[in-house]
Amino acid sequence: MGKKYRESLQKVDRQKKYAFDEALRTAVENRFAKFDETVDVAVRLGVDPRHADQMVRGTVVLPHGTGKVVRVAVFAKGEKEKEALDAGADVAGADELVDRIQKGWLEFDKAIATPDMMGAVGKLGRILGPRGMMPNAKLGTVTFEVAKAVREIKAGKIDFKVEKAGIVHAPIGKASFGVEKLLNNLAAFFETIQRLKPPASKGTYLKSIAVATTMGPGIKIDPAYVKDLTAQ
């Protein structure tokens, strides 16, 4: 544990559950890295992901984006390939793009595919799957609406999935955004999380919440404040 981290930790009341704005202000003001740290949220849900009917997985377009430049690859043919490039895709192609990736090229962050390309893209499962980059219809990345998908990802669309321990992690922007923009992004995230509550989830759904910058300590937030956050 470094000296700067210890100093930052001393400015956080570990016994307290903060309001969202206070937690974000504390996190942002106490950052100490030389780079623009990402602010992440971690939510422990009252679900058991081992049961398919309690899986929480989804996407949300953050109003202010993530602050990260996302490189997008699109598997498409003909007009759809052109449509993807016109919408801002960094690379687009069909079988030749599949071959290129099979040979080790991975200079992109997200992948989109038209449904007719999934037979060929399936060959890349062992490469893209473990990296979380495989196109998925449930996440809107297997679609003929490639221009819309590209624009959403470029604008700050993120995807999230509950882990085995029942926790969802997601980036909500950069520390340089300031509290107001981070609050707006958090509101969009929690609106989506609440909408995705499985009917099979019983009892308390939002069990605990914490935010933290990349290098900083976690700051606990009272889940009771979610109602006020999403009502704004």
Side-chain angles (χ1 to χ4, degrees):
M1 189 184 296
K3 179 183 176 183
K4 289 183 178 179
Y5 178 87
R6 288 197 302 272
E7 289 174 353
S8 181
L9 187 62
Q10 287 173 0
K11 297 173 184 176
V12 176
D13 185 342
R14 305 294 285 171
Q15 305 304 314
K16 179 179 177 179
K17 288 187 178 179
Y18 289 71
F20 280 97
D21 57 348
E22 189 182 11
L24 289 172
R25 192 171 293 107
T26 301
V28 169
E29 289 178 354
N30 290 324
R31 67 188 190 275
F32 55 83
K34 293 181 179 179
F35 60 90
D36 191 5
E37 297 180 58
T38 295
V39 180
D40 293 292
V41 62
V43 187
R44 188 162 64 90
L45 300 175
V47 299
D48 185 347
R50 293 174 299 178
H51 300 291
D53 62 354
Q54 293 190 50
M55 173 56 65
V56 176
R57 182 174 193 173
T59 64
V60 58
V61 178
L62 299 176
H64 302 289
T66 62
K68 179 183 177 183
V69 176
V70 182
R71 301 167 298 175
V72 180
V74 179
F75 300 94
K77 303 174 183 176
E79 279 300 310
K80 290 298 176 182
E81 179 182 347
K82 181 179 182 301
E83 187 180 312
L85 291 169
D86 288 346
D90 296 271
V91 64
D95 294 330
E96 73 282 3
L97 182 56
V98 173
D99 291 341
R100 190 176 174 190
I101 292 169
Q102 283 181 317
K103 291 174 182 175
W105 183 81
L106 282 168
E107 298 300 312
F108 59 97
D109 306 297
K110 297 283 184 180
I112 297 166
T114 52
D116 59 323
M117 280 299 301
M118 283 307 292
V121 176
K123 301 173 187 175
L124 303 175
R126 290 184 179 179
I127 300 171
L128 301 183
R131 293 175 170 82
M133 295 162 68
M134 193 69 180
N136 186 313
K138 290 181 179 178
L139 300 178
T141 48
V142 177
T143 177
F144 280 118
E145 294 185 36
V146 291
K148 178 185 176 185
V150 170
R151 284 194 292 266
E152 284 184 342
I153 290 174
K154 288 285 188 177
K157 182 179 181 179
I158 60 168
D159 53 74
F160 54 84
K161 180 181 179 182
V162 66
E163 300 168 0
K164 289 179 181 178
I167 298 172
V168 172
H169 288 98
I172 56 158
K174 295 290 186 178
S176 61
F177 281 17
V179 173
E180 199 63 37
K181 288 183 177 180
L182 291 171
L183 279 172
N184 290 341
N185 280 355
L186 266 176
F189 171 75
F190 276 105
E191 283 170 3
T192 304
I193 283 286
Q194 289 180 302
R195 191 171 66 247
L196 293 173
K197 180 182 178 180
S201 171
K202 306 301 180 185
T204 303
Y205 179 52
L206 301 176
K207 289 197 164 186
S208 64
I209 302 168
V211 294
T213 57
T214 304
M215 304 297 288
I219 301 171
K220 296 175 184 176
I221 293 172
D222 191 333
Y225 288 112
V226 170
K227 186 177 179 181
D228 295 331
L229 177 72
T230 55
Q232 295 176 5

